[in-house]
Amino acid sequence: MYDKLEDVRADIDRRLRQGAEVWRSVMHTPVVATADADARVMVLREYDPATATLRFHTDGRSPKSVLIGKAAPVGVVFYDHEAKVQLRCRGTGRIERSGPLVDGAWAQSSNFARRCYLGDGPGATADAPTSGLPSAFEGVEPEEADLVPARENFAILLVALEAFDWLYLAQSGNRRALFDSNGGRWVTP
């Protein structure tokens, strides 16, 4: 696939940008893991290559939001089955509930997406299968006025990446590159 580390690093940035910008990209829904060994699929909303930062939307009431708080280790795994490229990222996550970044993310979200923050908090116990949404909003797009209480529950997860572990799977022999504070280097798979 690639013989130069700079090409691998460019591939990482390209894949992450595409994952944030193209909702059908295989990189759009990575697995995000927290320090308590809990993992979940999340939607990648933005990648800033200048700061190597990922942005996700989350409910501020979720257990992961409490665990991550202002700073905690976070791992993010992306996999492109067709290209046979796995990308494991490690960094420090932080939850933001207010400020220009959060306000901008809220403003860019559709009312259908915003309605997710109207319901019960993640993990609330229920007597039957439920979305947790108030019944008035099941399958219905709320009006702006209906969403005022939802904004209080909306937060973003920012992950400042500190390491990229790129793995290319090939019958001729797998290839792996690691990028961190020590620079880039080839490592055995």
Side-chain angles (χ1 to χ4, degrees):
M1 172 168 255
Y2 296 114
D3 294 327
K4 297 178 182 173
L5 287 169
E6 57 268 18
D7 293 337
V8 173
R9 189 64 186 86
D11 181 63
I12 291 168
D13 281 345
R14 182 187 60 76
R15 288 179 184 282
L16 294 179
R17 272 194 316 272
Q18 183 181 45
E21 296 168 2
V22 180
W23 70 271
R24 288 189 176 198
S25 166
V26 295
M27 300 298 203
H28 190 59
T29 52
V31 174
V32 178
T34 46
D36 60 350
D38 196 6
R40 77 280 294 147
V41 173
M42 293 184 75
V43 175
L44 178 61
R45 302 295 181 165
E46 183 178 30
Y47 172 65
D48 181 351
T51 61
T53 301
L54 304 173
R55 177 174 54 90
F56 302 92
H57 296 177
T58 192
D59 192 309
R61 302 168 292 175
S62 69
K64 75 177 164 299
S65 293
V66 174
L67 177 68
I68 294 169
K70 299 232 182 256
V74 173
V76 185
V77 179
F78 299 85
Y79 184 64
D80 183 335
H81 175 73
E82 193 172 304
K84 300 194 181 323
V85 171
Q86 172 185 271
L87 179 58
R88 293 185 302 157
C89 303
R90 290 180 202 81
T92 300
R94 76 177 188 273
I95 299 294
E96 292 193 9
R97 298 173 64 100
S98 61
L101 285 176
V102 183
D103 292 340
W106 178 256
Q108 291 173 352
S109 298
S110 71
N111 283 1
F112 265 116
R114 292 177 186 175
R115 76 185 174 133
C116 296
Y117 305 96
L118 282 171
D120 297 330
T125 303
D127 294 331
T130 179
S131 67
L133 291 172
S135 59
F137 301 114
E138 287 282 350
V140 175
E141 183 173 6
E143 299 293 326
E144 286 290 326
D146 297 323
L147 294 165
V148 171
R151 174 59 185 87
E152 182 179 319
N153 301 322
F154 179 77
I156 60 173
L157 164 60
L158 297 172
V159 182
L161 299 176
E162 296 150 7
F164 301 91
D165 190 329
W166 178 91
L167 175 66
Y168 170 60
L169 303 171
Q171 287 184 343
S172 60
N174 300 336
R175 299 290 183 262
R176 183 173 168 211
L178 182 63
F179 299 86
D180 59 18
S181 60
N182 296 318
R185 59 200 171 280
W186 295 105
V187 294
T188 56

